[in-house]
Amino acid sequence: MRAGGRWLAPPEQWSRRRFAGEATAALTLAALAAGLGRLLGASVTVIGAEAVAIVVLSLLRRRLPATVLALTAALTPVGNAFLPLMMAAGWSAGRRITGASRAAAAFAGAYALCVAVALVDTWSASSALPLVLLTTLSFLAVAVVPGLASRYWTQRRTLLHTLRERNSQLLRERAMVAGQARLRERQRIAQDMHDSLGHRLALISVHTGALEVDRELTPRQREVVAVLREASVTAMHELREVVGILRDGVEAPAPASGDGTGRAARGTAGVAALVEASRAAGNAAELTYSGEARPLSAAADHAAYRIVQEALTNAYKHAPGAPITVDLRWEPDSLVVEIVNGAASHATGEVVSGGQGLTGLHERARLVGGMVHAGPVADGGFRVAGVLPYGAGEAAPVVDAADGPRRRPAEAPSGNGPWAVHRTLPEREWAAHGSIGHSRSGGIVLGCGIALGAVVLLGVAVLVGVFFLVGSLDKSMIEPSEYEAIEVGAAEKTVRERLPSGGTIATAGLDAKGPKEPEGSRCLVLMSSEPGQSLASEPVFRFCFKDGKLVEKKSYEVKR
């Protein structure tokens, strides 16, 4: 039983949901077949046999698509209840038969079986061509069109899946290449910083240390030299941390307070030391707190420290001697860091500046979900204010002038540096829509074109079929009054001139369903223009000729 179940399942794993869907589809097709059979007046035995066959074939159509298509095509001419199953079999065959040549061969074989069974079931030399035409039209509409639609849909879905996987692979490979290049550049920069800046800072530390113990210096000069020495030692520690970040990509945890080694606190706890160092350097600096202190994320805490540090540095360079106010306000939803310095008391000379300090502050705040504002104030001074949210925060979207807001992909590093990886427009469309925009629109246009062509072809075929069917009915149908007017014994030539020629697809097989024909006679079977007593029966008029005369006429009903 289990082996049979494993064989019945298609190559992919069947889930419970899929199995329930297949069972529901099979029972639905069986119910439709029973309804059609009941409408056509079939017996209960025939209806039950057809329902069982449809359930079995429906469950097998995924495992044996070509075989089920052929069997269904052979059974459809002898039982119209198989038409719904033919559509399902055509859909499965178009989707699951691999190779265009194999699919074409399977549909051609099924069509040949359908035509052969139809001719054998209702053979008549005069109606063979119309019967083949109608069978061809029905096979095109019920089997070929669903098969083409299913094959196109499956191939397009497979293509999009392949393109999506390749796009993801290219993004991963590009991120890896960019990461390797970024790592090599970081190592080069770290080595240059260590070799050049480290050497210079070490010289400054040594010389200031020797100068600090010089007996000829005044106490005020020794105090200033001590500040310089402490600043050089702190700079050396910070340089080591930056070099470590560049080499390893991991930032070392900053101390909460000074630890006696020259390392200052990094965060709001170190702001007081920055202000104190500013006072020691001769600046009038004031620090105020307001609100209840709350914990910040490590990145936001460090960003607050760097905002104060950069603002104080700018005040030293551009407004030496001006009063400075540092204010930390713990608001309900964020920390506000505000640094305001007064106007410069005298004109300053040319100031050496890299021009990247405030830009770096904006980026630091953005990465933690905050913002920084910097600008002059009314009294001629300068104000730097940062708003940093509590918690981890979220980076704001990067605004690109050409494409509008967008976010960095998960593979790309953060930042706007020269090694940052950003997605191009087609890649962002892949991420947003699951496929490339022009491929999607082109696929929709192509699919609509195929569907429109199939509908037009089917419409033309239906019109041709209706034309032939109307012509065949005109040649095989008479009024009951005309039947009554013809008398037995009349000349065959006279009777045939009054009657249609018959022998069309509409009357195919009716001669074999009536009473026994007179010995040695030739009979003409025609249909009545009036409907029968039920949908399951057809009124028929039969005229039999022998020796040039009408020897018998009969009126009876046959089952459809």
Side-chain angles (χ1 to χ4, degrees):
M1 189 70 176
R2 285 184 181 176
R6 286 194 296 268
W7 179 86
L8 178 62
E12 65 269 18
Q13 184 70 27
W14 271 29
S15 62
R16 293 183 178 180
R17 182 177 180 181
R18 172 166 290 181
F19 181 79
E22 288 298 314
T24 303
L27 294 177
T28 302
L29 292 173
L32 289 175
L36 288 175
R38 189 64 179 172
L39 185 63
L40 297 176
S43 64
V44 177
T45 304
V46 174
I47 292 175
E50 289 180 346
V52 172
I54 287 174
V55 169
V56 174
L57 291 175
S58 179
L59 293 177
L60 289 174
R61 63 187 172 87
R62 290 178 175 268
R63 191 71 173 95
L64 302 172
T67 304
V68 171
L69 177 65
L71 290 176
T72 307
L75 292 173
T76 299
V78 298
N80 292 327
F82 288 91
L83 283 174
L85 178 61
M86 174 70 84
M87 297 181 66
W91 178 273
S92 296
R95 179 184 179 184
R96 298 187 175 277
I97 297 178
T98 57
S101 58
R102 294 180 61 185
F107 277 90
Y111 166 71
L113 279 176
C114 185
V115 172
V117 173
L119 290 175
V120 171
D121 183 55
T122 56
W123 170 252
S124 176
S126 59
S127 62
L129 183 58
L131 180 62
V132 171
L133 177 61
L134 288 179
T135 304
T136 302
L137 292 178
S138 63
F139 187 82
L140 284 174
V142 178
V144 176
V145 172
L148 289 176
S150 173
R151 196 166 190 84
Y152 165 75
W153 177 76
T154 303
Q155 289 179 348
R156 183 174 182 274
R157 189 179 66 170
T158 303
L159 176 62
L160 291 180
H161 179 70
T162 303
L163 290 177
R164 191 178 296 114
E165 287 186 346
R166 177 160 179 76
N167 183 72
S168 300
Q169 181 181 358
L170 290 176
L171 286 177
R172 289 194 298 269
E173 291 177 355
R174 190 176 68 174
M176 291 175 59
V177 172
Q180 293 175 356
R182 184 169 57 253
L183 182 59
R184 289 194 298 269
E185 189 66 14
R186 278 181 168 181
Q187 291 175 348
R188 186 188 66 80
I189 294 174
Q191 188 66 37
D192 290 346
M193 292 177 64
H194 182 272
D195 294 343
S196 60
L197 294 180
H199 175 69
R200 301 298 180 186
L201 290 175
L203 288 177
I204 294 174
S205 178
V206 170
H207 285 291
T208 53
L211 188 61
E212 188 177 5
V213 296
D214 192 345
R215 296 180 179 179
E216 297 182 0
L217 294 181
T218 65
R220 174 59 181 166
Q221 291 174 334
R222 287 194 181 91
E223 184 179 351
V224 173
V225 170
V227 171
L228 293 176
R229 183 176 180 279
E230 183 180 356
S232 64
V233 172
T234 303
M236 290 181 63
H237 287 294
E238 291 186 358
L239 178 62
R240 291 193 185 98
E241 292 178 1
V242 172
V243 169
I245 294 174
L246 289 175
R247 283 178 175 173
D248 306 327
V250 178
E251 184 175 0
S257 59
D259 56 4
T261 64
R263 300 180 64 197
R266 303 287 185 271
T268 54
V271 171
L274 290 175
V275 174
E276 185 63 30
S278 179
R279 291 177 186 149
N283 294 280
E286 181 182 358
L287 175 62
T288 60
Y289 297 92
S290 62
E292 182 180 356
R294 294 178 57 180
L296 287 166
S297 65
D301 198 40
H302 193 66
Y305 178 84
R306 290 303 183 188
I307 290 173
V308 175
Q309 186 182 48
E310 181 64 24
L312 291 176
T313 302
N314 287 340
Y316 303 157
K317 292 190 296 185
H318 299 284
I324 305 173
T325 301
V326 179
D327 186 17
L328 299 182
R329 296 196 301 272
W330 303 91
E331 302 290 347
D333 57 349
S334 60
L335 169 66
V336 177
V337 181
E338 185 177 25
I339 304 94
V340 180
N341 62 268
S345 58
H346 55 82
T348 58
E350 183 180 356
V351 178
V352 179
S353 176
Q356 301 297 321
L358 292 179
T359 302
L361 293 185
H362 284 287
E363 180 64 12
R364 282 182 181 274
R366 187 194 65 79
L367 291 177
V368 297
M371 60 180 294
V372 169
H373 170 77
V377 293
D379 60 356
F382 199 81
R383 174 177 175 268
V384 177
V387 180
L388 305 173
Y390 303 126
E394 181 181 359
V398 179
V399 178
D400 187 89
D403 302 325
R406 60 183 171 91
R407 293 189 183 275
R408 293 184 178 86
E411 305 92 339
S414 60
N416 291 327
W419 308 285
V421 180
H422 301 300
R423 287 181 178 173
T424 60
L425 179 59
E427 295 163 355
R428 293 197 299 276
E429 290 176 350
W430 265 101
H433 304 293
S435 63
I436 298 179
H438 64 82
S439 298
R440 184 176 183 180
S441 60
I444 293 175
V445 172
L446 180 60
C448 292
I450 292 176
L452 181 60
V455 169
V456 171
L457 178 63
L458 185 59
V460 172
V462 168
L463 289 178
V464 174
V466 170
F467 174 77
F468 275 97
L469 183 60
V470 171
S472 65
L473 290 176
D474 185 59
K475 296 178 181 179
S476 60
M477 186 177 294
I478 62 173
E479 298 285 341
S481 58
E482 191 173 358
Y483 169 79
E484 297 294 340
I486 298 176
E487 297 181 354
V488 177
E492 179 180 356
K493 182 178 180 181
T494 303
V495 175
R496 286 190 180 276
E497 289 177 352
R498 295 182 59 180
L499 297 176
S501 60
T504 63
I505 188 174
T507 59
L510 295 180
D511 52 352
K513 298 180 181 180
K516 185 178 180 182
E517 299 177 355
E519 188 71 24
S521 64
R522 301 183 308 277
C523 297
L524 173 63
V525 180
L526 300 174
M527 298 169 58
S528 174
S529 60
E530 295 184 358
Q533 297 179 357
S534 66
L535 295 176
S537 62
E538 180 71 37
V540 173
F541 301 134
R542 188 178 72 181
F543 301 90
C544 296
F545 303 96
K546 185 178 181 182
D547 299 331
K549 294 183 179 181
L550 178 63
V551 296
E552 181 191 65
K553 69 173 187 177
K554 278 190 176 294
S555 174
Y556 56 91
E557 292 190 358
V558 297
K559 290 186 178 181
R560 297 181 184 273

